Amino acid sequence: MTHDHDLVLRPTPAQTTAALNPPPGRIGGDLVVETLSGLGATTVFGLPGQHALGLFDALRRSSLRYIGLRVENNAGFAADAYGRITGEAAPLLLSTGPGALMSLAALQEAAAASAPVLAISSQIPTAGLGGGRHGYLHELPDQQASFRGVVKSVHTVRTQSQIPSAIAAAWQSALTAPHGPVWVEIPQDVLLAETLLPEVTAPDVMPEELVPRPELTALAAHLLSRAARPAIIAGGGVVRADASGKLRALAERIQAPVVTTFGGKGAFPWNHPLSLQSWMEDRHTTDLLEDADVLLVVGSGLGEMSSNYRTFKPRGRLIQIEADLGKLESNYPALGIHADARLALQALLETVEERTDAQAPERVREVLAKVSDRIDAQQLTLEQDLLASIRRALPRRSPSFWDMTILAYWAWSAFDPRHPNTMHSAQGAGGLGYALPAALGAAAADPTHPVLAISGDGGALYSIAELATAKQHDFNVTWLIIDDGGYGILREYMTDTFGEPTETGTEAGAGAGAGAGAESATELARPNYVALAESFGVPGARTTPESLEADLSKALSTPGPAVLVLPAVLRMFAPTHLG
C-alpha cells in the first residue's frame, strides 16, 4: 500500500546531471534571481547599492527585466502599482540601511492598499548581525525591526541554502489574501560569495486560499434574503479579488444599492441603477446606509474615510467580509466573515434568495440627486469640468494614478473609473509623490494602454527625478501637474482649522525669499515644469481648463512620456462630517 506521505519526487537524470555540474561563476545573488524566475517573476524594480551589488551582478545572467528608478521610495511605488495591475508579487531590490529605509513610505502604502510587493534588501556582512556596533557602512542595530510593523512578514537569510526557501515563503505570504508587502534581507557576504549549489528549479509555492466558514455565509445569506432595505459597501478587497462580477450579480439578485469606497473604485458599474457611486463623504449617502436594515460590507475595514470620518452610525445588522483579520470588526460590531471577497461572494450567490424591490433604484436616484444639488450649490464648476475633461480624454481601459492633491480628492468621490482596477491613488497611507512612479510601474506591467499620472506641484517635486526613468524606458505615461503654487489641500485645511489662510494666488512663493515662517508653510517656490520636463528629454506643454481635453488626448495618443502643466487653484467641496 502506498500512502501520500510515502511519495517522493525523484530527480530526472537531466536534473541530477545539472545538480552535479552547476554553471561556473555563480554567486549568492544568482540564487535570488533564479528563485524569482522560478516563481514566475519577469520584472524587478529597485536601486543598486554597495551591499546589494551581488543582486545586480546576478541580474546580468538572468532573463529578468530590471527597471531602475532614481529614488528607493519611488521604486517601491512602481512595484506597488505593478503588483496592483498584475496581481503578481513585484520584486523590489534594495540596498542596506539608507536605501532600505527610503522605501518605508512606499511599503506602508502597499500595506494599506494590500499591494503584493516582495522587497529584497541586502544586509551588512553576517559577522555584523546580532545588534553589536561593528561600524559597518549602512549599519543598523536591527534593520528588520524598522520594517516589522509595516510589512506582512519578515525573512532574514544567513546562509546561501536559505535563500530559495526564504524568498518562496515571502512570495507565498505576499500573495495570500490579504495581499501585501513582505521583507527579505540577505547579508552582503552571502550575496557575493561563490556558490556551488545547483541552479534553483521552480519552487512549488501556491498562495493559501482564505475560504469563508459555511455557517457564517449561510446566516449572511439568510439575513440578506429577508432584508427589507439591504445595502452594500464595496471596498478595495473586491477589486483585488477580481470579484466585481460576483458583486454585481449579488446586488442585482437582492436589489441592494451599492456604494464603493475610494479604494474600491471600479468594483461596481458607475451608472448602474443600483450604483450610489463613491460619495462616501456625503451625508445623504451616509443616511441611506444607516437606514439599511442589513448592510453588507465587502473588502473594507470601514476606516476613517469609508465611515464619513466616523460619523456613520449603522442602525441595522452589519455583515462584514474581510480578508485582513486586523480589520474585521475593528470599527463596528458585525457578523464578521474572515475570507477572500471572491470566495465569500460566491458562497453567498449559491445560497441567497432572490428578492424584488422596485423602489431600490428610485432611492438611489434620490440620493444622487441630493448629492448633485449639494455640490452644484457650491459653484465648483471648474473642478467638475476638469474631471469631465480627463474622463473624456482617458481611454476606457487606461489606468490612472492620482497623487494626494485636491483633484484626486474630488476624483475619489466623483470620477467614473469605467473599469475595475484602473483607478489608483495613495489614499491608503496618504503619502505624497505616488502618481508618477506608480504610473511607470503600471506601464511596465501593461504597455498596451497609455497611463495617466496626476499630481499637484507639491507632490510632483517628490518624484520629478523619475522623468529620467520615463525617458530611459520610453514609457507611455502622461503626467498632468496641476500647479497652484503650494500644497493646496493643506492650504485649505489650515484655513478651515485655524481661520487664517496662508499666502494664496499664483504669485505666492514665486521667489526663494517670499514669505517667512508659518505663513509660507503651504506656499512653494516652484520651477518651470515645462522647461524641466524638456531638460529630461520629455515633451512638456502648458494647458488650460478649456484646452485640457484636447491636449490630454493628444499626449495620451502619442507614444512615449509627456508632461502637461495646468496652472489652476482648485477648491474642495464642503464636507458633511463637520456639521
Side-chain angles (χ1 to χ4, degrees):
M1 179 180 292
T2 300
H3 300 280
D4 288 345
H5 58 264
D6 292 327
L7 295 177
V8 177
L9 294 177
R10 293 181 173 83
T12 65
Q15 289 173 326
T16 300
T17 300
L20 294 174
N21 301 282
R26 292 162 62 249
I27 58 176
D30 288 276
L31 299 173
V32 174
V33 299
E34 289 166 9
T35 304
L36 292 174
S37 295
L39 288 165
T42 59
T43 302
V44 300
F45 301 86
L47 261 78
Q50 179 178 328
H51 289 167
L53 293 181
L55 289 172
F56 291 85
D57 175 65
L59 283 175
R60 295 188 298 109
R61 294 182 288 278
S62 81
S63 61
L64 293 173
R65 174 178 60 157
Y66 168 66
I67 297 176
L69 286 92
R70 280 22 181 203
V71 183
E72 288 86 355
N73 198 52
N74 295 336
F77 284 145
D80 165 300
Y82 188 95
R84 296 193 200 196
I85 294 296
T86 64
E88 302 168 3
L92 172 64
L93 306 185
L94 302 166
S95 192
T96 321
L101 295 176
M102 279 290 288
S103 71
L104 271 170
L107 294 177
Q108 184 188 5
E109 175 57 40
S114 296
V117 176
L118 174 54
I120 301 175
S121 165
S122 59
Q123 247 291 23
I124 58 174
T126 310
L129 300 181
R133 300 301 297 272
H134 301 277
Y136 287 105
L137 184 68
H138 306 326
E139 181 179 319
L140 289 168
D142 187 359
Q143 179 174 276
Q144 64 174 269
S146 298
F147 296 85
R148 195 174 290 116
V150 175
V151 299
K152 282 188 68 178
S153 58
V154 171
H155 310 259
T156 296
V157 168
R158 291 179 179 269
T159 66
Q160 290 184 344
S161 63
Q162 295 175 355
I163 289 175
S165 296
I167 293 177
W171 182 277
Q172 183 180 49
S173 175
L175 290 176
T176 295
H179 293 175
V182 293
W183 181 260
V184 179
E185 55 181 27
I186 308 172
Q188 177 190 27
D189 54 325
V190 175
L191 290 171
L192 288 175
E194 182 181 1
T195 184
L196 298 177
L197 292 173
E199 285 189 88
V200 182
T201 56
D204 186 15
V205 176
M206 291 293 292
E208 298 176 5
E209 285 196 333
L210 192 55
V211 181
R213 287 166 46 195
E215 74 275 15
L216 297 180
T217 54
L219 176 56
H222 173 81
L223 294 171
L224 290 168
S225 300
R226 286 154 181 76
R229 298 176 310 282
I232 298 174
I233 297 176
V238 177
V239 176
R240 290 186 292 273
D242 192 22
S244 57
K246 296 186 183 300
L247 173 68
R248 177 174 180 170
L250 179 65
E252 291 175 346
R253 185 172 298 180
I254 64 174
Q255 286 296 291
V258 179
V259 62
T260 58
T261 69
F262 304 150
K265 298 284 287 188
F268 196 73
W270 189 257
N271 292 317
H272 191 282
L274 293 171
S275 175
L276 289 163
Q277 301 176 357
S278 298
W279 290 97
M280 297 297 297
E281 290 188 55
D282 189 280
R283 191 64 226 176
H284 300 303
T285 302
T286 306
D287 288 342
L288 184 144
L289 296 174
E290 288 181 346
D291 186 54
D293 59 340
V294 179
L295 179 63
L296 174 63
V297 182
V298 189
S300 171
L302 288 181
E304 185 176 28
M305 290 185 289
S306 299
S307 62
N308 201 356
Y309 295 90
R310 313 293 186 195
T311 62
F312 170 56
K313 306 294 181 185
R315 295 189 293 271
R317 187 74 181 267
L318 198 66
I319 302 167
Q320 185 185 16
I321 297 169
E322 175 56 55
D324 188 338
L325 192 59
K327 295 179 181 177
L328 196 65
E329 296 191 71
S330 62
N331 291 310
Y332 297 91
L335 172 62
I337 302 176
H338 184 215
D340 177 77
R342 183 178 182 85
L343 298 177
L345 287 171
Q346 178 61 42
L348 291 178
L349 282 170
E350 292 172 357
T351 51
V352 75
E353 299 174 15
E354 186 171 357
R355 62 179 297 277
T356 58
D357 186 353
Q359 298 303 311
E362 180 59 30
R363 291 198 299 273
V364 169
R365 285 193 293 269
E366 289 176 357
V367 169
L368 293 179
K370 290 177 181 178
V371 172
S372 179
D373 290 344
R374 184 177 77 84
I375 299 299
D376 290 346
Q378 299 175 47
Q379 298 181 333
L380 298 167
T381 56
L382 171 61
E383 293 77 5
Q384 295 180 80
D385 289 347
L386 291 178
L387 281 182
S389 294
I390 292 170
R391 181 60 278 171
R392 289 191 297 267
L394 186 65
R396 181 180 182 87
R397 294 283 182 137
S398 284
S400 60
F401 291 84
W402 304 68
D403 215 330
M404 300 295 286
T405 187
I406 285 180
L407 198 62
Y409 287 32
W410 269 91
W412 293 346
S413 295
F415 190 76
D416 175 7
R418 290 196 179 172
H419 198 270
N421 202 29
T422 56
M423 180 181 171
H424 300 276
S425 70
Q427 59 91 20
L432 280 173
Y434 175 78
L436 178 62
L440 300 180
D446 181 5
T448 63
H449 301 288
V451 184
L452 175 63
I454 299 176
S455 300
D457 53 309
L461 291 174
Y462 275 65
S463 48
I464 199 78
E466 303 312 335
L467 283 176
T469 305
K471 177 63 177 178
Q472 181 171 339
H473 294 276
D474 199 32
F475 284 133
N476 195 5
V477 172
T478 295
W479 191 16
L480 174 61
I481 300 173
I482 301 170
D483 185 1
D484 67 358
Y487 299 116
I489 191 65
L490 297 178
R491 182 189 290 149
E492 284 209 10
Y493 286 165
M494 290 188 73
T495 301
D496 292 342
T497 303
F498 303 110
E500 295 184 10
T502 56
E503 295 178 53
T504 57
T506 56
E507 295 300 318
E519 284 192 347
S520 61
T522 60
E523 309 312 309
L524 297 173
R526 70 266 196 197
N528 180 333
Y529 287 102
V530 172
L532 186 55
E534 291 174 345
S535 75
F536 284 93
V538 174
R542 287 168 67 92
T543 187
T544 66
E546 295 75 21
S547 64
L548 175 61
E549 180 181 347
D551 292 341
L552 193 54
S553 295
K554 179 181 178 181
L556 287 165
S557 62
T558 303
V563 172
L564 286 178
V565 181
L566 174 64
V569 177
L570 308 183
R571 293 187 297 138
M572 272 303 295
F573 55 81
T576 63
H577 66 277
L578 299 177

